[in-house]
Amino acid sequence: KHKNFASNKLGLSLANAFSGGVFLCLAFGHLIPECVHGFHEYENEALPYMIVLGGYLLIFFVEKVAFDAHGALEEMEGGSEVAVIPQKDAKGSKGVRSNDAARSDGEHSSHTGRSAVILLAALAVHSILEMTALGLSNSFNDSTLLFVSISLHQPAESIALLVAFLKSGMPRKQILRFLSVFACMGPIGVLLGMAVKGFAAPIVDAVMLAIVAGTFVYVGATEVIPEEWEDQEHKWKKFFSLITGIVSMFVITQYSMKLEGAASL
């Protein structure tokens, strides 16, 4: 079991590092050039890049300032031990929990439940912004690339959220309600992107693309890479997986652009 867990953990780390490369390549090799093209009528060449920075700061504010998702995860992981005070009861048995320990269990359950809800709020905003890119995509090839990149990254977030709620000690029905809310965030993001694409002016489409590009840079450079390299074990394998994600996604995007160019002739 230990070997299976270790191999699964390595596989998840490699997949996460690969997805980090995919997000970075999509941001710099596809989304940013496309949003810059949408600003071609404006003389201020720095504007689209500043909006990209605004998108990066938006998700940074949500995850690190407003909700502190990383801190919530650390709180969920720590303090899960239940205090047991060895003492004898009337029958001479040991291991009776004290009233203080029982009270601390209740406080810890409430605290971890609050941390799980904070994590849900941060990941919900994160999910909406990621899935908005899917609704903004111009072609089937674009949507496929974005779908693959998001699919590589979302399972890790979903598993972390599920574990956080299971550790919180909440009733199962309440956990299901919270997770159902999180599951709705993706479709909401797609619908938002489709609404902007279908009804808003082209400049609004370009602005949304720039914001989404900034969130993709955040996911790849600030979330995935530092998280995976906190543990130096298998660092070369993870680096190779990161580069493979960048190179493979660049090749695929270039090939899809050529196909779209040939189809438009």
Side-chain angles (χ1 to χ4, degrees), residues 34 132-140 142-144 146 193 197 209:
E34 190 170 336
T132 299
L134 203 56
L136 290 169
S137 55
N138 291 318
S139 66
F140 177 76
D142 284 354
S143 3
T144 302
L146 290 165
K197 189 74 179 174
L209 273 177

Side-chain angles (χ1 to χ4, degrees), residues 113-215:
R114 186 166 59 252
S115 297
V117 173
I118 289 172
L119 183 63
L120 169 65
L123 292 182
V125 177
H126 195 159
S127 180
I128 289 175
L129 290 172
E130 282 184 357
M131 297 300 287
T132 299
L134 203 56
L136 290 169
S137 55
N138 291 318
S139 66
F140 177 76
N141 289 335
D142 284 354
S143 3
T144 302
L145 293 174
L146 290 165
F147 176 77
V148 170
S149 64
I150 293 169
S151 298
L152 286 169
H153 180 67
Q154 280 280 7
E157 293 183 346
S158 303
I159 291 171
L161 186 62
L162 175 61
V163 171
F165 274 108
L166 290 176
K167 285 184 177 181
S168 70
M170 287 183 181
R172 188 176 297 244
K173 288 184 178 179
Q174 191 174 2
I175 293 175
L176 287 175
R177 281 198 295 269
F178 278 119
L179 293 179
S180 298
V181 170
F182 178 69
C184 292
M185 295 301 105
I188 289 173
V190 173
L191 291 174
L192 176 62
M194 291 174 66
V196 170
K197 189 74 179 174
F199 302 105
I203 187 62
V204 178
D205 186 9
V207 169
M208 289 297 296
L209 273 177
I211 293 172
V212 171
T215 66

Side-chain angles (χ1 to χ4, degrees), residues 218-234:
Y218 177 89
V219 171
T222 305
E223 183 176 286
V224 172
I225 292 178
E227 176 186 331
E228 289 304 328
W229 271 266
E230 279 181 1
D231 182 4
Q232 289 292 298
E233 189 179 8
H234 305 298

